[in-house]
Amino acid sequence: MLMASSLDAETSTIGRTWPIAEPDALSEIEGRAAQVPDMKAAFGPRERWSAMKAATLGIARADRNRTVVPFYTLDQDIRLQDGKLLYAKGYSFNPLAYVSLPQRLFVVHPRDLDWALRTARPADFILLAAGSPGDADAITLGERHSRALFLLEERVKTRLGLTVAPVIVAQAGQKLVLTEVDRSKTDRRAAR
């Protein structure tokens, strides 16, 4: 017959010990969060925040594909620590020759957000272009849909040559493929 045996382990202290001097991390976070000013009281309603202004785009009226090679030109010299010139100001290169964009970018107006949420993969980025007056802001929409949403910045719009939305941006080799989507067509197809 097998009998269960219990083992009692004792612990020993080897060397000197000191009480923990650091404050509890959660208490630190809660304490600092309590000190953050009320953003609305400090800066007014979000719709007036300049940081919450997205770039404006027209509405895609036709399905269209086009490509962009996102060349970048250095605006200053790049030097090594010892001062030796690595790349001179004016040097142009394609960043996609060195890195890849594993996710797609969905650039949409707030009115097309539901379509983007249904179509995008979890790793894809959704960028919101400026919407109509009365549309919820990106923070509110992100909280409502439990998904990180980003604002389309003017520099991204310019760099990609964006004029309309929705558009899906995906990497193909060393270029970006921009697929403009006429939502009126996709809505009609879905209704059938």
Side-chain angles (χ1 to χ4, degrees), residues 38-109:
D38 175 22
M39 298 296 277
K40 194 171 191 174
F43 302 108
R46 281 189 203 151
E47 58 268 9
R48 288 197 223 137
W49 296 359
S50 61
M52 296 295 289
K53 302 293 183 213
T56 59
L57 292 175
I59 297 170
R61 301 286 181 211
D63 291 340
R64 183 173 81 137
N65 285 330
R66 58 189 179 90
T67 59
V68 172
V69 178
F71 285 108
Y72 183 78
T73 302
L74 295 177
D75 59 357
Q76 62 184 1
D77 290 341
I78 304 294
R79 297 189 176 275
L80 297 173
Q81 268 187 322
D82 63 4
K84 181 179 173 187
L85 182 66
L86 183 62
Y87 294 106
K89 176 180 177 177
Y91 174 75
S92 290
F93 65 99
N94 179 358
L96 297 179
Y98 306 98
V99 297
S100 63
L101 182 67
Q103 67 277 355
R104 298 174 298 173
L105 306 176
F106 279 70
V107 181
V108 297
H109 296 104

Side-chain angles (χ1 to χ4, degrees), residues 17-25:
T17 62
W18 292 268
I20 296 173
E22 294 85 17
D24 177 61

